[in-house]
Amino acid sequence: MLAVNLIVMLQASEGRTKELHDSLRTLREASLLEPGCLDYRIAQGRRSPHRFFLLERWADAQALSRHERTQHFLDGVARVQACCDCVDVQPILWLLE
């Protein structure tokens, strides 16, 4: 099975940057405990501090599917969407690893 890699770009709504950061950190901590979660990183834009990026790496599509059905994911997504103007999820394929 091929690993699944995602890059997620999030734009915090005005005045909600800290709330988004805290929600992402909570989601990351729970996700890293899941079987099949290989990596889960959060980055914040240096020039655009209201913009965040996630790099998620899952062992396979089944691991990601299980993750997307967990209560912490469902709750986390609701919190994240409440404080974002934009969320863009991009499945990616690394060209060189």
Side-chain angles (χ1 to χ4, degrees):
M1 293 257 156
L2 290 176
V4 176
N5 298 284
L6 302 173
I7 292 181
V8 183
M9 190 283 296
L10 308 105
Q11 178 71 37
S13 301
E14 186 68 36
R16 300 190 81 172
T17 300
K18 181 175 179 350
E19 181 182 357
L20 176 57
H21 177 266
D22 293 346
S23 295
L24 292 174
R25 189 169 59 214
T26 299
L27 188 56
R28 176 186 186 270
E29 290 168 359
S31 298
L32 284 170
L33 297 174
E34 291 181 54
C37 182
L38 304 176
D39 198 4
Y40 199 110
R41 298 179 191 210
I42 303 169
Q44 186 174 14
R46 291 183 118 179
R47 285 182 280 182
S48 301
H50 303 299
R51 187 167 293 166
F52 291 84
F53 303 88
L54 304 180
L55 170 61
E56 298 181 39
R57 185 168 173 89
W58 296 90
D60 53 36
Q62 289 77 20
L64 177 59
S65 179
R66 283 190 305 271
H67 164 68
E68 291 173 340
R69 292 190 309 267
T70 63
Q71 195 61 52
H72 74 86
F73 174 82
L74 298 171
D75 294 343
V77 166
R79 284 191 310 273
V80 164
Q81 288 179 338
C83 54
C84 280
D85 288 337
C86 175
V87 177
D88 182 27
V89 179
Q90 291 292 321
I92 63 163
L93 175 65
W94 292 110
L95 300 178
L96 299 172
E97 281 194 74

